[in-house]
Amino acid sequence: MAHPPEPTIFALASAPGRAGVAVVRVSGEGAGRVIDYMAGPKPDPRRAVGRFIRHPESGEKIDRGVVLWFPSPASFTGEDVVELHLHGGRAVVQAVLSALTLMPGLRMAEPGEFARRAFEAGKIDLAEVEGLADLIDAETEGQRRQALAQASGVLSDLYDGWRASLIEALGLIEAGIDFADEGDIGLKTFTDARSIIQVLVRAVIHHLEDGHRGEILREGFRVALIGPPNAGKSSLLNALARRDVAIVSAEAGTTRDVVEARLDLGGLPVIVSDTAGFRETEGAIEREGMRRSQAAAEAADLVLWLTDATEPQTVLPAELAPLADRTLLVMNKTDLLPGGDAPVLPDDIVPLSVETGAGLGDLIKRLTVIASERIGHHGEPALTQVRHRRLVEACRDGLEAFLSGPADEVELRAEDLRGAADALGRITGRVDVEDVLDHIFGRFCIGK
């Protein structure tokens, strides 16, 4: 029995609000009728033409814009697609959207519905969809490069290659099962499959041992400003952000909650958190502030221990001692030292005066280098999503189970490989993906 056609969907595909140009996208069987009724006749495919956009019932002119026609299957969604490029005034956009709602068989798109239809048409896979969502959300050059690579299929090609090797090994195992009566054949096919998996598992383990650099680049490199009260943490946050993010006061305990600012350092996203000062206190609110400071430090990729140069505390508190390997010591208020000159300090301590700006540039360079070493471009595809990491870990577990399991339990070893291949397939959407579709496509705006 034939299924009824999907409804034709439409939405504003550009950002909402006043703009020079707005783009309304239409996808589905009724897309061609939109041109016929509102901006006919149809132009040649993929050729931009200037047209009056008219009301489909009254014929009244709404705007003069540009029309593009993408007949199926050569479109983003694989369906007939129309794009109306309009003047970006709110009244123009609203008039066109209102006119489209009057046409039979058309409805407003749900969030991510255009991308979902592209996935269902085989135009893009799930990993590419997630890369596209990240590309839309990218705030820095590093995020843009990583997202574009993923949206272009770099990760998909890697996982598809691994899955092809897995299927080859699984085919050998199943061939051995089919010829179980001929011992020599079964032994040889198992040995050949084992050789393939030994190479593959090393590649998978290497991929996982990346220091989470792809996920950190996607979410942001976290820096926690920690130190005693009145060391200048809030002033430093404001100086780094170049705006008043945190309240600055000489009164100890002013900062009680964690305050964040997002920075772009050398194209890398860096999130700096100002925290409550570490000190002995009886107040319940300040104790909670310090508990949150401790949590921010433990979650950070880098801790800046900020201390007053006139009363330096260069030894970390006991609760922060386990974080020493990712802590940078910063000595602030060097302008208050006798002579006002920055002291000569070991390389692991950065001199600074937030008040005068002395040393701020050097600190920013240090932060940029540290972030770049941790999450910068390494020339290899990186895991960018927790979902991907868990599935690659499941693949690794299946491969290791195959290699460590008894060779005479051939059916179980075949099942190990099937589980590993299934995990890889779920990353790109090759198998059984209904449970993750809503989560992924729900991240998009309405017009994408």
Side-chain angles (χ1 to χ4, degrees):
M1 181 177 177
H3 293 286
E6 289 281 346
T8 297
I9 56 175
F10 66 90
L12 178 67
S14 53
R18 183 172 178 268
V21 176
V23 178
V24 171
R25 175 181 285 166
V26 185
S27 179
E29 285 191 359
R33 287 190 293 110
V34 169
I35 298 182
D36 294 339
Y37 281 86
M38 297 182 67
K42 289 189 185 72
D44 293 337
R46 291 169 296 282
R47 182 184 176 190
V49 297
R51 293 280 168 80
F52 280 110
I53 312 299
R54 300 176 182 273
H55 194 281
E57 293 182 350
S58 68
E60 177 188 358
K61 294 176 182 177
I62 299 174
D63 188 26
R64 181 169 177 81
V66 172
V67 177
L68 283 158
W69 165 237
F70 303 92
S72 172
S75 71
F76 173 67
T77 62
E79 303 174 322
D80 289 346
V81 170
V82 169
E83 287 186 2
L84 304 176
H85 294 232
L86 315 166
H87 291 97
R90 291 183 177 88
V92 173
V93 173
Q94 187 55 49
V96 170
L97 294 178
S98 297
L100 289 170
T101 62
L102 299 175
M103 296 188 63
L106 270 67
R107 66 163 173 80
M108 184 73 79
E110 299 293 333
E113 192 169 2
F114 288 94
R116 183 160 184 162
R117 290 191 179 192
F119 165 73
E120 290 171 345
K123 293 290 184 176
I124 50 178
D125 63 38
L126 281 187
E128 291 168 341
V129 167
E130 289 166 313
L132 181 59
D134 287 347
L135 188 59
I136 293 170
D137 292 337
E139 296 178 339
T140 72
E141 180 66 11
Q143 290 175 321
R144 181 195 65 78
R145 285 197 303 265
Q146 176 171 277
L148 180 60
Q150 184 172 330
S152 300
V154 170
L155 273 181
S156 301
D157 291 345
L158 176 66
Y159 299 144
D160 285 345
W162 288 354
R163 192 163 182 265
S165 295
L166 262 169
I167 292 172
E168 180 185 359
L170 184 57
L172 289 169
I173 295 297
E174 291 179 340
I177 294 173
D178 290 341
F179 292 95
D181 295 339
E182 303 180 34
D184 291 344
I185 294 178
L187 178 61
K188 183 179 186 310
T189 56
F190 190 89
T191 301
D192 291 345
R194 187 179 178 84
S195 297
I196 292 172
I197 299 306
Q198 285 173 332
V199 173
L200 181 56
V201 75
R202 287 195 293 270
V204 172
I205 291 172
H206 174 72
H207 188 57
L208 287 168
E209 293 175 345
D210 64 349
H212 295 260
R213 60 183 176 88
E215 291 137 295
I216 294 173
L217 177 57
R218 180 173 177 267
E219 298 293 337
F221 183 82
R222 291 196 164 269
V223 177
L225 301 181
I226 309 291
N230 289 333
K233 299 183 295 297
S234 298
S235 296
L236 177 56
L237 179 69
N238 290 342
L240 291 171
R242 298 182 180 179
R243 58 189 175 91
D244 290 337
V245 179
I247 298 173
V248 177
S249 170
E251 180 181 340
T254 300
T255 302
R256 296 184 175 183
D257 206 348
V258 176
V259 180
E260 293 185 344
R262 299 184 71 90
L263 310 178
D264 182 342
L265 298 184
L268 302 176
V270 176
I271 303 171
V272 183
S273 302
D274 179 25
T275 65
F278 268 79
R279 67 168 180 165
E280 295 295 329
T281 180
E282 298 296 326
I285 294 177
E286 283 195 65
R287 285 201 306 272
E288 173 61 19
M290 280 183 279
R291 186 195 67 78
R292 295 186 183 191
S293 297
Q294 175 78 19
E298 291 173 351
D301 302 297
L302 177 68
V303 174
L304 291 189
W305 175 257
L306 195 68
T307 185
D308 188 330
T310 64
E311 299 179 277
Q313 298 181 37
T314 58
V315 178
L316 294 177
E319 53 265 53
L320 294 181
L323 310 179
D325 61 339
R326 62 175 190 269
T327 298
L328 179 65
L329 300 181
V330 180
M331 191 172 289
N332 187 29
K333 303 186 181 180
T334 57
D335 57 303
L336 299 181
L337 294 174
D341 293 329
V344 177
L345 299 173
D347 288 342
D348 58 350
I349 301 180
V350 180
L352 175 68
S353 170
V354 177
E355 180 68 23
T356 67
L360 184 62
D362 291 337
L363 176 59
I364 291 173
K365 288 179 183 177
R366 264 313 250 281
L367 292 177
T368 304
V369 169
I370 293 171
S372 180
E373 288 175 348
R374 180 72 187 276
I375 63 175
H377 182 64
H378 289 245
E380 296 179 355
L383 287 157
T384 63
Q385 310 263 349
V386 173
R387 183 182 80 87
H388 298 178
R389 184 172 293 277
R390 289 175 177 168
L391 289 169
V392 174
E393 288 172 342
C395 173
R396 175 205 59 199
D397 293 345
L399 299 179
E400 290 179 340
F402 171 83
L403 293 174
S404 62
D408 57 349
E409 298 176 350
V410 184
E411 288 84 359
L412 294 180
R413 302 294 72 76
E415 195 58 34
D416 292 334
L417 296 188
R418 287 192 192 95
D422 179 74
L424 289 180
R426 290 171 68 84
I427 296 177
T428 57
R430 303 289 185 240
V431 292
D432 190 20
V433 296
E434 284 299 323
D435 55 336
V436 297
L437 290 182
D438 289 339
H439 170 73
I440 290 171
F441 292 105
R443 292 178 53 206
F444 284 88
C445 54
I446 296 293
K448 195 65 179 177

